[in-house]
Amino acid sequence: WQVALGCRAAQVLMQYCILANHYWFLVEAVYLYKLLVGAVFSEKNYYRLYLYLGWGTPVVFVVPWTAAKYLKENAEGGRAVLCMSPPLFHPPQINLLIFMRILKVILAKLRANQKGYADYKLRLAKATLTLIPLFGIHEVVFIFATDEQTTGILRYIKVFFTLFLNSFQGFLVAVLYCFANKEVKSEMKKKWELWKLDH
């Protein structure tokens, strides 16, 4: 009984973490859009709103799903398997819309400064490729190809790309936005120089 309870708790926690991951992508997208385009929320309370969106919104979907799963399993003697249906307010689709808006803004800014940036198409491609992992846009590719609908080689391709991209997403974002960032590298160099002076 305790093993079954632990298994169910792990499944609920896993679903919460998956949704929280998606909603934090949404927070990143909204925040970047806010920086590029202008104020979306008032400066006074956007941080708290981001926290509620990232950590709180998944609860809104996981709690009813957990209750429905529990009731259905009890009604059918523990044999029912309730699949996690995507929430009505699904972050990857919204991130895709924000992603397209941000690319439009970036393209307009690069075209306006075209004399300063002769390689603006290359810069746009670089911006596009760096935003894809940050916003979780790769999730949209397989959103309609559920496990029930995919068979054979397509299922293996879906599983490989989903696992690969989800596993290395944090690493990719860290490399692109931290380790490859000029400001971060200059701060690290300053800290290293200070450490060398102290020792």
Side-chain angles (χ1 to χ4, degrees):
W1 183 81
Q2 287 179 337
V3 172
L5 185 65
C7 184
R8 288 187 179 106
Q11 189 179 20
V12 169
L13 182 64
M14 183 186 77
Q15 294 298 348
Y16 173 80
C17 290
I18 289 169
L19 280 178
N21 186 38
H22 287 301
Y23 279 96
W24 275 107
F25 288 148
L26 180 60
V27 168
E28 290 169 352
V30 170
Y31 180 72
L32 185 60
Y33 184 76
K34 177 186 167 294
L35 289 177
L36 282 173
V37 176
V40 175
F41 308 113
S42 68
E43 286 295 320
K44 194 165 78 174
N45 59 6
Y46 76 85
Y47 181 72
R48 185 170 287 179
L49 185 63
Y50 291 156
L51 287 175
Y52 289 146
L53 183 61
W55 295 119
T57 309
V59 173
V60 172
F61 297 108
V62 171
V63 168
W65 173 77
T66 304
K69 183 173 175 57
Y70 177 77
L71 294 172
K72 188 155 178 73
E73 281 183 352
N74 283 348
E76 297 190 12
R79 293 186 314 261
V81 176
L82 188 64
C83 294
M84 183 68 174
S85 57
L88 298 173
F89 180 58
H90 205 258
Q93 289 97 328
I94 295 165
N95 279 359
L96 182 62
L97 295 174
I98 295 172
F99 174 72
M100 290 189 295
R101 294 288 308 244
I102 287 174
L103 286 183
K104 192 175 173 184
V105 171
I106 291 172
L107 181 61
K109 288 184 178 188
L110 287 173
R111 279 189 177 157
N113 298 327
Q114 192 172 355
K115 291 174 185 171
Y117 304 115
D119 61 339
Y120 84 96
K121 289 181 181 175
L122 182 65
R123 292 171 79 86
L124 179 66
K126 184 180 174 187
T128 304
L129 290 174
T130 55
L131 287 176
I132 287 172
L134 182 67
F135 288 2
I137 299 300
H138 62 275
E139 296 283 339
V140 178
V141 174
F142 294 112
I143 206 154
F144 300 108
T146 61
D147 288 339
E148 293 80 26
Q149 294 170 333
T150 53
T151 56
I153 193 77
L154 181 62
R155 187 177 191 133
Y156 290 120
I157 291 169
K158 177 189 182 258
V159 168
F160 173 78
F161 277 106
T162 303
L163 290 175
F164 179 80
L165 292 169
N166 286 343
S167 298
F168 290 101
Q169 190 166 18
F171 175 72
L172 205 60
V173 169
V175 167
L176 293 172
Y177 293 95
C178 293
F179 306 125
N181 186 308
K182 289 178 185 173
E183 294 167 12
V184 172
K185 285 201 276 192
S186 108
E187 283 298 316
M188 296 277 285
K189 191 175 181 181
K190 284 180 196 172
K191 294 285 182 192
W192 175 250
E193 295 298 327
L194 284 171
W195 185 84
K196 281 197 329 191
L197 286 172
D198 287 343
H199 293 84

